[in-house]
């Protein structure tokens, strides 16, 4: 299978390594807005470097889009018009209009679009989904989700990110839906920009929290911060009438108990998302290869990104307007 990879930054470089090692990938062609960076990635992995135009002209069997967010929607549409299956890192676009336009192109072409919500391929979240679906927790009444980055991103990234809800917490919104099988119907969100000044200058927040009401009445909280110096911390706690279950709680979880005689975690804290979710990133690309080969159904199509973005949009409106917001306000 010949695959084209567009974007060779941090996540793109990881994907390049994974794809060149995949037994079903016979050739990888990489492209980037920075030709030098593409050439470096090609030399490092044994791939072939090309321009984006050349990549599409050569009609690969599939494309993986890991470019800057601003280019996602157009690249998705271009792949759809060419009849080429595409995998794209989240988000499709930073607004609903761009997302809907790209999805319309995919629907009109009848092509494959898989979105990179890698937590769906993590062993812990997969086990949590199975426990909930099997009814082993009983009626689920409370879910707590969190994403804590160990350090802020570069200041130049913030104006392009879409903000903490769309860029970071969107993963929690997606995995909440996937694990529980429920939809978020209403949110109440707030945020703080009391940290580094670059967040205030970008109109963003460095820490955020949201209360989410699910369609069966269960309540969820989702929190995120860019300033968790203890280490990278991504967890989910699920509480039901019959039991509780936690995802992401282990020897590398960067949290120390204040209780006496409880030992500190034995492992070194996670440094970031690529280290924490490396197996999940590889698994989602393997799933994409299987989808393209017709061996399985699409595990995360473009509509999933739309649903998660609607929750993020509702949270951003709630934060700015200081009121509860129904997700239905963003259905059109």
């Amino acid at each position: 299978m010949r695959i084209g990879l567009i974007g060779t930054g941090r996540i793109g470089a990881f994907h390049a390594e994974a794809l060149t090692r995949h037994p079903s990938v016979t050739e990888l062609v990489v492209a980037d807005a920075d030709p030098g960076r593409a050439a470096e990635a090609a030399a490092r992995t044994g791939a072939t470097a090309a321009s984006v135009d050349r990549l599409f002209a050569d009609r690969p069997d599939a494309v993986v889009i890991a470019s800057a967010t601003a280019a996602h929607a157009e690249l998705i549409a271009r792949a759809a018009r060419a009849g080429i299956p595409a995998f794209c890192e989240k988000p499709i676009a930073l607004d609903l209009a761009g997302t809907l336009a790209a999805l319309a192109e995919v629907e009109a072409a009848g092509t494959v679009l898989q979105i990179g919500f890698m937590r769906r391929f993590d062993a812990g979240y997969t086990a949590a989904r199975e426990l909930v679906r099997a009814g082993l927790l009983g009626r689920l009444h409370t879910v707590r989700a969190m994403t804590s980055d160990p350090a802020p991103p570069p200041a130049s990234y913030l104006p392009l990110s879409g903000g903490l809800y769309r860029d970071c917490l969107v993963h929690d919104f997606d995995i909440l839906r996937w694990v529980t099988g429920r939809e978020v119907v209403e949110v109440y969100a707030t945020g703080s920009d009391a940290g580094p000044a670059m967040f205030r200058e970008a109109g963003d927040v460095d820490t955020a929290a949201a209360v989410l009401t699910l369609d069966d009445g269960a309540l969820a909280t989702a929190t995120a911060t860019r300033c968790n110096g203890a280490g990278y911390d991504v967890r989910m706690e699920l509480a039901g009438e019959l039991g509780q279950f936690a995802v992401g709680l282990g020897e590398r979880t960067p949290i120390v108990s204040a209780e006496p005689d409880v030992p500190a975690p034995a492992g070194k804290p996670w440094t970031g998302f690529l280290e924490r979710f490396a197996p999940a990133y590889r698994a989602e690309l393997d799933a994409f290869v299987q989808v393209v080969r017709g061996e399985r159904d699409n595990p995360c199509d473009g509509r999933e990104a739309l649903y998660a973005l609607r929750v993020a949009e509702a949270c951003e409106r709630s934060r700015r307007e200081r009121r509860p917001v129904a997700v239905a306000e963003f259905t059109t």
Side-chain angles (χ1 to χ4, degrees):
M1 179 181 293
R2 296 176 59 251
I3 292 186
L5 170 66
I6 304 173
T8 55
R10 183 166 51 164
I11 188 61
F14 183 95
H15 287 335
E17 294 280 356
L19 288 167
T20 53
R21 295 175 182 175
H22 196 286
S24 295
V25 178
T26 56
E27 182 182 0
L28 178 68
V29 179
V30 298
D32 195 284
D34 179 348
R37 191 162 66 176
E40 290 175 6
R44 190 168 55 249
T45 62
T48 301
S51 68
V52 173
D53 288 342
R54 181 74 264 169
L55 185 153
F56 276 106
D58 287 345
R59 297 194 60 80
D61 297 308
V63 295
V64 172
I65 300 169
S67 62
T69 295
H72 286 187
E74 175 52 35
L75 290 170
I76 288 170
R78 188 169 180 178
R81 291 192 292 267
I84 299 173
F87 172 97
C88 185
E89 284 296 333
K90 66 83 190 168
I92 292 175
L94 290 178
D95 59 17
L96 288 172
T99 300
L100 289 168
L103 291 177
E105 293 270 13
V106 172
E107 183 176 354
T111 53
V112 168
L113 172 62
Q114 182 180 326
I115 298 298
F117 280 127
M118 77 291 185
R119 294 186 194 180
R120 295 181 176 216
F121 298 86
D122 176 74
Y125 285 107
T126 299
R129 173 184 165 98
E130 292 171 354
L131 283 169
V132 171
R133 302 303 176 88
L136 297 182
L137 299 182
R139 182 185 67 85
L140 194 65
H141 52 73
T142 307
V143 183
R144 306 175 188 91
M146 63 178 292
T147 296
S148 299
D149 288 333
S156 60
Y157 174 76
L158 295 179
L160 308 174
S161 72
L164 193 57
Y165 297 105
R166 299 184 189 94
D167 179 56
C168 183
L169 275 167
V170 72
H171 278 292
D172 296 274
F173 303 150
D174 174 72
I175 204 64
L176 173 65
R177 297 180 57 251
W178 189 74
V179 168
T180 66
R182 313 306 308 192
E183 296 295 342
V184 178
V185 295
E186 186 179 79
V187 310
Y188 189 88
T190 188
S192 171
D193 60 4
M198 63 181 183
F199 289 96
R200 293 186 291 278
E201 293 165 359
D204 196 6
V205 293
D206 59 78
T207 303
V211 177
L212 315 169
T213 302
L214 307 187
D215 59 9
D216 64 347
L219 296 179
T221 60
T223 63
T225 184
R226 302 285 198 186
C227 305
N228 198 58
Y232 184 71
D233 192 3
V234 171
R235 278 180 279 143
M236 173 181 275
E237 298 174 1
L238 300 114
E241 292 180 335
L242 299 181
Q244 295 188 92
F245 193 79
V247 178
L249 188 61
E251 64 177 13
R252 300 191 66 179
T253 306
I255 187 169
V256 177
S257 175
E259 300 297 328
D261 303 322
V262 177
K268 182 181 178 182
W270 300 108
T271 58
F273 63 91
L274 280 179
E275 185 184 27
R276 166 67 176 84
F277 289 109
Y281 278 115
R282 295 188 188 99
E284 69 177 358
L285 286 179
D286 182 59
F288 177 59
V289 169
Q290 293 177 50
V291 170
V292 175
R293 290 165 62 94
E295 297 170 353
R296 66 173 292 175
D297 293 333
N298 190 342
C300 189
D301 69 26
R303 290 169 294 182
E304 304 300 303
L306 176 62
Y307 300 148
L309 178 60
R310 283 173 172 156
V311 179
E313 292 283 356
C315 285
E316 184 59 36
R317 180 173 292 179
S318 176
R319 179 182 76 86
R320 292 186 179 279
E321 298 181 4
R322 297 180 177 273
R323 67 175 178 89
V325 173
V327 176
E329 292 184 23
F330 297 92
T331 57
T332 58

